[in-house]
């Protein structure tokens, strides 16, 4: 969206307007280029504004990375642009560079942006069909190993990790499993290791659990406390929660399965490919890669190096 | 700004959209140098939308995947539960909040198509029971694309085409029987050397 209209365009503020002679060394003889930028049709201005906005976004992302260390430079650009515009609008600012100024000088504004961009939504047995497929098609394979290592990057507040732990324990495999659950965000990891979740979610999770083919009473897994549903500490016994940044940290082990769901969808195509390389190098032959419902191997650069275990549920096995 | 290598027809519809989309697809010919993206509001339940459209389409029909490059002579359908964006020649699926209860939102896809394909876009607003699409249609027109609206008086649900008409964008208006031919003509004109497109 254009951040300025035809009327507001600084056409009268070019070098000529401030009295510099054409071709003056003071302006490097570039006033023609400035003219090209501003003295055009409505349609051209729409294009220029889109181009300008891209420059502003790149500058903003670089600035908040350098100053705050928050790195969104490789996030999917279309959705990022929309979220930045929305933040600018809520702040009552009309340009992305205006938003940049506020972000750099007003910490509270930066915190609001971080909240906009940190998407941690998750739930237990999210997409029950995925867990059903994992139970039926992946667990029998994992059962052939004497010791099982699973990496669950982007685990958020841990609901997914505990769901995996339940599956494994119901299959009698959990005692010889270790799950490495990692996330870039220390706050969500702290929630994850407490293993206390809102009571009002338990009905939904129970339904998910049953739809995923669970055959116990889901309520066996938690006790209701004053602060919520406290999950059985035995479920956490073989889970290691740790910080890990998929964009900059390397692999730290070899895993029989990598379960990374609804994380890479926020990344741009380059970072996605980079993370796919990381996963590929972390899996042995026949190692399993499980992605989110709308995440595909198809454009990862590694599509030939896996075979499909369950296409609809996005479960793959390294060749 | 990059020029689009083929015309992009972006279609928004809601209630009654399946039958209308089929009619639209039936007007296309195998050699037409265009690609169609259909955003239809629907619930999260699996639906046979893709197969129902495929039988009317001269091009392969699929649900758009995250980061999938757009190819010519394809029909892509927005998956339920995500916004569908176009960025740098490929699709992006986004989990931003629904807009007016809709995800996918037609406005979101239209605006992003307009930004990515500028003058190479034909927006089509068809039957539907809300006003999604009107804002996105304005973006398409602002960036030099063309707009076609189904005649609301004959639409199964007139609200959506009516809302776009009320935006004052001066679109082509046609009943469903003629809509496909109008859309096709506008899309193919864009590809001609004399047009704005290469
Ligand atoms: C939407 S949640 C997905 C949670 C869970 N996997 C699920 O599918 O329900 C995305 C998570 O990815 C994490 N994340 C984002 N960027 C990351 C990065 N570069 N490295 C590791 N984790 C990241 C976020 O902190 C967030 O917790």
């Amino acid at each position: 969206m254009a951040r300025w209209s035809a009327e507001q365009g600084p056409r009268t503020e070019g070098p000529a307007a401030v009295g510099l002679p054409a071709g003056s060394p003071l302006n490097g003889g570039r006033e023609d280029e400035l003219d090209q930028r501003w003295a055009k049709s409505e349609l051209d201005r729409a294009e220029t504004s889109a181009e300008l906005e891209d420059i502003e976004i790149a500058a903003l992302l670089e600035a908040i990375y350098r100053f705050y260390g928050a790195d969104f430079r490789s996030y999917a650009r279309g959705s990022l642009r929309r979220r930045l515009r929305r933040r600018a609008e809520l702040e009552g600012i009309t340009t992305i560079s205006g938003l940049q100024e506020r972000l750099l000088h007003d910490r509270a504004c930066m915190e609001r942006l971080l909240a906009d961009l940190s998407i941690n939504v998750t739930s237990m047995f999210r997409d029950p069909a995925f867990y059903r497929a994992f139970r039926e098609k992946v667990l029998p394979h994992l059962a052939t190993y004497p010791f099982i290592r699973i990496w669950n990057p982007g685990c958020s507040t841990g609901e997914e990790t505990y769901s995996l732990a339940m599956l494994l324990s119901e299959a009698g495999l959990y005692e010889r499993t270790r799950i490495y659950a990692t996330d870039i965000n220390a706050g969500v990891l702290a929630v994850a290791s407490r293993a206390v979740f809102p009571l009002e979610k338990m009905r939904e999770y129970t339904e998910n659990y049953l739809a995923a083919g669970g055959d116990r009473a889901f309520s066996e897994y938690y006790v209701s406390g004053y602060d919520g549903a406290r999950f059985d500490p035995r479920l956490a016994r073989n889970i290691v929660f740790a910080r890990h940044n998929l964009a900059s940290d390397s692999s730290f082990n070899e895993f029989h399965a990598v379960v990374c769901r609804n994380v890479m969808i926020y990344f741009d195509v380059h970072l996605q490919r980079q993370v796919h390389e990381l996963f590929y190098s972390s899996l042995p032959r026949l190692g399993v890669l499980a992605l989110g419902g709308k995440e595909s191997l198809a454009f990862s650069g590694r599509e030939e190096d896996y075979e499909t275990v369950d296409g609809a549920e996005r479960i793959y096995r390294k060749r | 700004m990059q020029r689009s290598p083929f015309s992009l027809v972006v279609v928004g519809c809601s209630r009654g959209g399946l039958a209308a989309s089929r009619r639209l697809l039936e007007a296309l010919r195998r050699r037409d140098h265009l690609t169609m993206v259909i955003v239809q509001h629907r619930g999260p339940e699996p639906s046979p939308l893709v197969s129902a459209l495929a039988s009317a389409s001269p091009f392969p029909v699929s649900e758009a995947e995250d980061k999938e490059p757009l190819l010519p002579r394809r029909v892509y359908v927005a998956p339920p539960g995500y916004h569908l964006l176009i960025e740098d020649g490929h699709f992006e699926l986004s989990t931003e909040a629904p807009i007016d209860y809709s995800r996918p939102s037609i406005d979101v896809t239209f605006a992003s198509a307009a930004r990515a394909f500028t003058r190479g876009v034909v927006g089509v607003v068809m039957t539907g029971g809300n006003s999604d699409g009107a804002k996105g249609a304005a973006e398409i027109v602002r960036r030099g694309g063309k707009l076609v609206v189904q005649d609301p008086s004959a639409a199964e649900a007139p609200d959506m085409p009516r809302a776009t008409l009320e935006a004052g964008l001066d679109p082509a208006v046609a009943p469903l029987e003629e809509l496909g031919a109008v859309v096709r003509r506008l899309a193919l004109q864009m590809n001609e050397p004399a047009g704005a497109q290469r």
Side-chain angles (χ1 to χ4, degrees):
Chain A
M1 248 143 273
R3 289 294 164 198
W4 24 259
S5 69
E7 298 76 54
Q8 292 168 314
R11 292 170 59 180
T12 54
E13 293 161 18
V18 294
L20 288 176
S24 150
L26 276 180
N27 64 38
R30 295 175 73 96
E31 76 279 13
D32 290 351
E33 287 172 29
L34 292 189
D35 281 349
Q36 265 187 13
R37 279 287 173 237
W38 300 102
K40 282 188 179 175
S41 72
E42 184 85 19
L43 209 58
D44 289 328
R45 267 196 298 276
E47 278 194 16
T48 316
S49 74
E51 190 190 336
L52 180 57
E53 193 187 45
D54 281 345
I55 296 170
E56 292 178 280
I57 289 173
L60 179 151
L61 296 178
E62 188 64 30
I64 62 174
Y65 169 61
R66 290 223 219 151
F67 190 61
Y68 293 107
D71 192 357
F72 295 103
R73 294 172 300 174
S74 304
Y75 274 49
R77 205 39 81 90
S79 158
L80 189 59
R81 183 186 301 115
R82 291 183 49 80
R83 292 182 209 261
L84 287 172
R85 279 183 194 159
R86 187 173 155 273
R87 175 47 47 203
E89 209 171 295
L90 291 172
E91 303 285 331
I93 296 171
T94 51
T95 64
I96 297 293
S97 23
L99 178 63
Q100 175 179 328
E101 180 183 4
R102 169 93 47 101
L103 287 169
L104 291 179
H105 296 280
D106 176 354
R107 174 196 161 140
C109 180
M110 182 62 195
E111 278 167 11
R112 290 192 288 275
L113 180 72
L114 279 179
D116 295 337
L117 299 183
S118 312
I119 299 127
N120 304 118
V121 276
T122 183
S123 53
M124 286 191 169
F125 296 96
R126 178 181 189 173
D127 309 324
F130 164 77
Y131 286 92
R132 188 182 278 275
F134 198 87
R135 187 197 300 267
E136 289 168 5
K137 299 181 180 171
V138 177
L139 292 191
H141 167 67
L142 293 181
T144 63
Y145 297 107
F147 190 78
I148 303 165
R149 280 185 306 273
I150 297 178
W151 184 15
N152 182 207
C155 65
S156 189
T157 39
E159 286 85 337
E160 182 175 75
T161 319
Y162 292 113
S163 304
L164 289 170
M166 289 177 219
L167 277 193
L168 287 154
S169 85
E170 290 176 19
L173 300 175
Y174 189 55
E175 290 311 311
R176 51 188 165 108
T177 300
R178 176 145 300 156
I179 307 180
Y180 299 84
T182 61
D183 202 283
I184 191 176
N185 180 332
V188 294
L189 291 171
V191 176
S193 43
R194 284 183 65 220
V196 179
F197 299 106
L199 271 174
E200 57 272 21
K201 294 276 192 185
M202 291 308 126
R203 176 199 286 265
E204 175 197 333
Y205 293 173
T206 304
E207 283 169 11
N208 286 354
Y209 169 79
L210 294 174
D215 52 10
R216 301 202 190 160
F218 186 67
S219 56
E220 282 176 20
Y221 284 113
Y222 64 89
V223 293
S224 305
Y226 67 94
D227 52 351
R230 304 170 154 267
F231 276 72
D232 189 339
R234 279 174 299 184
L235 281 177
R237 210 160 43 191
N238 296 335
I239 300 175
V240 182
F241 287 107
R243 257 183 110 171
H244 181 278
N245 183 347
L246 285 171
S248 54
D249 296 335
S250 49
S251 181
F252 50 93
N253 212 326
E254 188 173 83
F255 305 96
H256 303 103
V258 172
V259 179
C260 183
R261 310 191 71 229
N262 310 301
V263 180
M264 280 196 280
I265 198 167
Y266 300 102
F267 297 167
D268 73 13
V269 74
H270 307 289
L271 182 54
Q272 279 189 359
R273 282 173 170 253
Q274 181 190 320
V275 174
H276 271 294
E277 289 306 305
L278 184 65
F279 291 163
Y280 184 80
S281 66
S282 307
L283 289 166
R285 208 175 84 77
L286 303 183
V288 169
L289 175 62
L291 304 174
K294 281 291 158 200
E295 294 169 327
S296 161
L297 207 53
F299 318 105
S300 67
R302 282 291 181 186
E303 50 274 32
E304 302 300 325
D305 298 314
Y306 291 85
E307 58 193 15
T308 301
V309 175
D310 189 314
E313 299 310 327
R314 313 290 160 126
I315 302 175
Y316 309 92
R317 180 168 41 222
K318 181 166 163 176
R319 285 187 202 277
Chain B
M1 287 260 106
Q2 75 197 60
R3 289 272 176 271
S4 51
F6 49 86
S7 305
L8 185 69
V9 179
V10 282
V11 181
C13 52
S14 175
R15 188 154 56 81
L18 173 58
S21 296
R22 281 184 56 95
R23 288 298 289 269
L24 207 55
L25 288 169
E26 279 160 5
L28 302 183
R29 296 292 163 259
R30 188 175 298 279
R31 304 189 53 168
D32 292 349
H33 197 55
L34 59 84
T35 272
M36 193 179 277
V37 175
I38 299 176
V39 183
Q40 172 164 8
H41 296 156
R42 52 187 171 136
E45 317 75 40
S47 81
L49 183 60
V50 166
S51 55
L53 293 175
S55 59
S57 166
F59 305 138
V61 182
S62 59
E63 261 187 17
E65 295 269 352
D66 184 47
K67 310 298 171 343
E68 178 171 11
L70 278 84
L71 298 177
R73 301 194 176 95
R74 296 292 173 103
V75 174
Y76 300 99
V77 178
Y82 295 82
H83 294 301
L84 180 64
L85 309 177
I86 297 166
E87 182 76 19
D88 245 356
H90 58 250
F91 289 112
E92 243 183 66
L93 297 180
S94 159
T95 60
E96 285 159 84
I99 296 176
D100 292 333
Y101 307 102
S102 296
R103 194 170 63 189
S105 145
I106 299 167
D107 282 334
V108 167
T109 303
F110 276 19
S112 105
R115 193 180 207 280
F117 276 69
T118 59
R119 292 158 220 209
V121 176
V122 181
V124 186
V125 178
M126 306 197 300
T127 170
N130 51 53
S131 62
D132 194 9
K135 290 197 194 92
E139 277 299 293
I140 290 175
V141 170
R142 193 172 72 85
R143 294 196 186 273
K146 300 276 188 288
L147 182 61
V148 185
V149 176
Q150 182 182 1
D151 184 349
S153 63
E156 186 172 333
D159 294 355
M160 212 150 90
R162 188 169 290 148
T164 301
L165 284 182
E166 282 165 5
L169 301 164
D170 197 23
V173 182
L176 190 54
E177 303 75 58
E178 291 155 32
L179 204 64
V182 174
V183 168
R184 176 169 183 263
R185 182 168 46 74
L186 286 172
L188 297 184
Q189 264 172 16
M190 291 176 162
N191 275 317
E192 284 163 12
Q197 293 305 303
R198 265 191 281 148

